[in-house]
Amino acid sequence: MIPRLHERAHSPHDPLAEALGRPVSPDEGLTEHTVVAHWPGLDYYTLDDEQKLWTSVEWAEHLEDPYLDHPFAASPQDDRHAVFHLSVRLHPDDRVMTGPEWAEIAHRLARAAGIEVPGDEKGCRWIALQAQPGRLDLLANLIRLDGAWAPQRGDALRRLSEESRRIEQDLRLIPVPTSRPQNADRLVPVASTQLATILSQLADEQSGPLATVRGLVEHTAHRIARQPDAAGAATAHRLELIAHRLHSVQQDLDTAAAHLSAAARPRVAAAPPAAARHPAHRSP
């Protein structure tokens, strides 16, 4: 199971279309076979006699509502890109999963990502879609019901990768990439763990240096965009592209840290094959 954190977006329409593998539509209703899990508070937003078969456009609007409810909520970097998108893929040779299994995977990943906190009644709106073979997508709005911005940890991808490994073991799925032999004759130096920590600190979304630089670039872009001249708008657009590239660098560093952490796990040394024994020759 390979987790992938996509760049945060301002609108859920494009992430939802990517999860579905087709454009969102006001005519296509998404059943429980597609929306396999959602945030616990959703039941309070639907009446007992209300039709719960929502179209993909209605699901997108549901994820957009926190923007209207909290028009001044912003991230620590002072942006409004609140749409979180996580996707995971199974091994191509894995078995067919059931709906409850997909739902379990969705809730476990939502907790690992910090999107769902058990007992928190003011958390994020999120849904999980299983619309493409062997793939699950989790979409959320990071603006909580209380108007606060859900914190995102810098080691989120590492935590998601570790939870994916546990899910593979619990549900007896094929690891992706394919698992190494149990008797791997290799021990990774402790330096890998130290380097992984350094990369995680660089990519930290809350206090990492790249997050600070990205926040300053985004803040500058927003201020320049308020200028009346067309040149300011063009400059603001270029700065937004730079901020997006910085975010991609953060994710790449987080991925590298996760790989180093996984490689640093101790392996059991392979036992040498037992020497073949030949019976001693006896004289008749």
Side-chain angles (χ1 to χ4, degrees):
M1 181 183 299
I2 301 178
R4 179 191 174 194
L5 271 176
H6 301 254
E7 185 175 354
R8 287 189 289 113
H10 185 269
S11 170
H13 286 77
D14 287 343
L16 184 56
E18 182 177 347
L20 293 172
R22 55 189 180 274
V24 296
S25 168
D27 303 318
E28 178 190 14
L30 302 182
T31 68
E32 68 276 7
H33 299 292
T34 300
V35 182
V36 294
H38 52 73
W39 62 294
L42 177 63
D43 293 336
Y44 294 101
Y45 283 75
T46 56
L47 301 176
D48 293 337
D49 58 349
E50 183 180 354
Q51 183 180 0
K52 295 186 178 181
L53 184 63
W54 290 1
T55 66
S56 53
V57 168
E58 288 173 326
W59 281 113
E61 292 172 348
H62 177 71
L63 292 175
E64 279 184 321
D65 283 346
Y67 285 122
L68 302 176
D69 298 336
H70 306 285
F72 301 106
S75 76
Q77 289 75 40
D78 196 29
D79 69 77
R80 295 267 288 171
H81 292 77
V83 178
F84 171 94
H85 183 195
L86 166 69
S87 62
V88 292
R89 289 186 179 274
L90 302 185
H91 190 281
D93 297 329
D94 246 319
R95 61 183 175 84
V96 177
M97 305 287 288
T98 65
E101 287 175 324
W102 282 119
E104 178 184 350
I105 293 174
H107 281 281
R108 291 179 62 169
L109 292 176
R111 289 193 292 270
I115 300 302
E116 178 179 288
V117 179
D120 185 1
E121 298 181 354
K122 299 294 183 180
C124 302
R125 297 185 181 197
W126 65 267
I127 61 173
L129 300 100
Q130 205 286 298
Q132 303 182 56
R135 171 171 170 159
L136 181 77
D137 289 79
L138 191 150
L139 304 179
N141 192 310
L142 296 179
I143 301 176
R144 293 163 41 90
L145 298 187
D146 56 10
W149 192 282
Q152 292 290 286
R153 296 182 50 168
D155 61 346
L157 189 57
R158 178 180 60 81
R159 292 165 57 88
L160 289 166
S161 297
E162 292 174 351
E163 183 63 24
S164 296
R165 302 291 81 78
R166 287 189 286 266
I167 292 173
E168 288 171 351
Q169 294 177 3
D170 294 344
L171 299 183
R172 299 181 180 179
L173 301 175
I174 301 174
V176 180
T178 53
S179 61
R180 302 182 181 185
Q182 293 183 352
N183 295 328
D185 188 15
R186 186 166 67 92
L187 292 176
V188 179
V190 179
S192 295
T193 303
Q194 297 172 346
L195 293 173
T197 302
I198 294 174
L199 294 181
S200 295
Q201 291 172 350
L202 288 173
D204 193 291
E205 187 67 31
Q206 300 300 322
S207 59
L210 288 177
T212 302
V213 173
R214 196 178 106 224
L216 291 173
V217 172
E218 291 177 340
H219 180 70
T220 304
H222 292 162
R223 294 192 63 180
I224 293 177
R226 298 190 183 102
Q227 302 301 318
D229 57 289
T235 302
H237 179 66
R238 284 196 293 271
L239 289 175
E240 289 179 353
L241 294 178
I242 293 172
H244 290 167
R245 290 199 294 272
L246 286 171
H247 185 266
S248 298
V249 171
Q250 285 179 272
Q251 289 193 317
D252 290 341
L253 288 173
D254 216 354
T255 302
H259 289 168
L260 282 174
S261 297
R265 294 172 186 167
R267 317 281 187 203
V268 179
R277 297 184 178 181
H278 300 280
H281 178 71
R282 295 186 181 181
S283 301

